[in-house]
Amino acid sequence: MADQQERPSEDKRPTEIPAIRWEEPPEGPVLVLLDQTRLPAEEVELVCTDAAALVEAIRSLAVRGAPLLGIAGAYGVALAAARGFDVAEAARVLEEARPTAVNLSVGVRRAEAAYRKALAGTGDPTVAAVAALAAARALHREDAEASARMAAHGLTLLDELLPGGGHRILTHCNTGSLVSGGEGTAFAVALAAHRMGRLRRLWVDETRPLLQGARLTAYEAARSGMAYTLLTDNAAGSLFAAGEVDAVLIGADRIAADGSVANKVGSYPLAVLARYHHVPFIVVAPVTTVDLDTPDGASIEVEQRPGFEVTEVAAPGVPFAGAGGGVPVAPLGTQAYNPAFDVTPPELVTAIVTEEGAVSPVTAEALAEMCARSSAGAPPAVRPAP
């Protein structure tokens, strides 16, 4: 099989450039992002000086992935506060940038709550800005810690379900350090298996239409020396039929109270395939992705993205001709259906793995209990009334 073979791990992050960082040059604080739309061809950074620039980066998917969006949202509030902008307005536009990913609003509200509390206590916007930044940095640090714990819990679960190692894992979209303050969610579990010598193969769905699997997961797997193989999304069925998949590991952008999972579109068909072929289907996400205020999958707002992402393909170095800046691959005027996510019902999910452990079977009661344990002593994530 002609594909990427395993190399000894050097225990380094998939990219030496962090996905997000706060800097304070003489001209004022900025938020620096690795532009994920340019990967893997180029490692280019974007510098955001206000919430509007960050919103554009979020909508264009220059920064993406549920945990990282939460971190970015918190830093965006801190940036507005530090530069003297309207914090409430910045929080509002940031929350609205991507409706499905609940972590974004969690991060925004946490930093804004810290800002409001400090402002009410001191009356000093400078002190309040420092408090907002501290909240963002704390969330960043906590996500890195949660990532490590998810990887450990996920690997334990894999070893229980599939004793003997040699795991052949299929994943969808991108769930590594590019979406996290640490090494990711589902990808972090596969990386832990790789480091322990238990990963036989990482199957990487290309993830149409924006190819996050081909561009980003393959990029991270290559950097980590993992044995991986890229496949088109519509080849997954034949892979299952051939008996080449031991487990499916995906992330999540929102998990409803009943255990319904919203993730990158294409996840639901994998769950159906996994159920038919008796393969574990495992979701890995931090507790902040569980939204107990959303009762079920039908209540999750699914983001609809522009049709040109389907009717055009963007490629570095290729002349652009389409309305969206890409190369047209469909007749002019073609209508496209382009939901960013789909929703997998809890009965198709073998387990949900968080930093608090694994929930299996997936029930509303089990998720509520896990969230209650996690929230004990946690900082406020709900926006106070103005």
Side-chain angles (χ1 to χ4, degrees), residues 360-376:
S360 182
V362 177
T363 65
E365 293 75 17
L367 282 175
E369 181 182 345
M370 180 195 65
C371 289
R373 290 197 311 269
S374 176
S375 63

Side-chain angles (χ1 to χ4, degrees), residues 89-101:
E89 175 62 14
R92 184 188 67 79
V93 298
L94 284 164
E95 274 199 86
E96 294 174 354
R98 299 208 62 193
T100 306

Side-chain angles (χ1 to χ4, degrees), residues 303-350:
E303 176 188 355
Q304 299 291 326
R305 293 191 59 83
F308 65 74
E309 292 179 349
V310 176
T311 60
E312 300 175 15
V313 173
V318 176
F320 297 148
V327 179
V329 293
L332 184 65
T334 297
Q335 299 297 305
Y337 174 61
N338 189 22
F341 307 95
D342 57 25
V343 178
T344 300
E347 57 266 25
L348 294 181
V349 179
T350 305

Side-chain angles (χ1 to χ4, degrees), residues 67-83:
L68 192 65
L69 286 176
I71 296 167
Y75 277 128
V77 171
L79 185 63
R83 284 187 166 262

Side-chain angles (χ1 to χ4, degrees), residues 48 73 92 101 273:
C48 298
R92 184 188 67 79
L273 282 166

Side-chain angles (χ1 to χ4, degrees), residues 169-260:
I169 296 171
L170 173 64
T171 192
H172 191 69
C173 198
N174 173 249
T175 58
S177 67
L178 293 172
V179 307
S180 170
E183 291 184 320
T185 57
F187 185 89
V189 177
L191 184 58
H194 161 66
R195 288 172 174 162
M196 296 297 293
R198 298 175 196 167
L199 180 69
R200 179 176 167 189
R201 177 70 47 188
L202 181 66
W203 298 109
V204 179
D205 267 358
E206 61 174 355
T207 318
R208 281 280 294 152
L210 297 180
L211 304 177
Q212 293 97 328
R215 294 188 303 103
L216 306 178
T217 300
Y219 169 80
E220 293 192 292
R223 288 287 188 123
S224 299
M226 302 166 76
Y228 73 94
T229 302
L230 181 68
L231 62 145
T232 61
D233 295 354
N234 55 1
S238 64
L239 198 64
F240 277 98
E244 292 289 336
V245 181
D246 297 317
V248 179
L249 264 66
I250 66 166
D253 285 80
R254 187 183 297 254
I255 300 172
D258 71 340
S260 296

Side-chain angles (χ1 to χ4, degrees), residues 55 58 73 88-102 104-106 108-109 112 383:
V55 166
I58 291 170
E89 175 62 14
R92 184 188 67 79
V93 298
L94 284 164
E95 274 199 86
E96 294 174 354
R98 299 208 62 193
T100 306
V102 67
L104 177 57
S105 61
V106 168
V108 167
R109 293 178 184 187
E112 189 188 13
R383 178 180 298 176

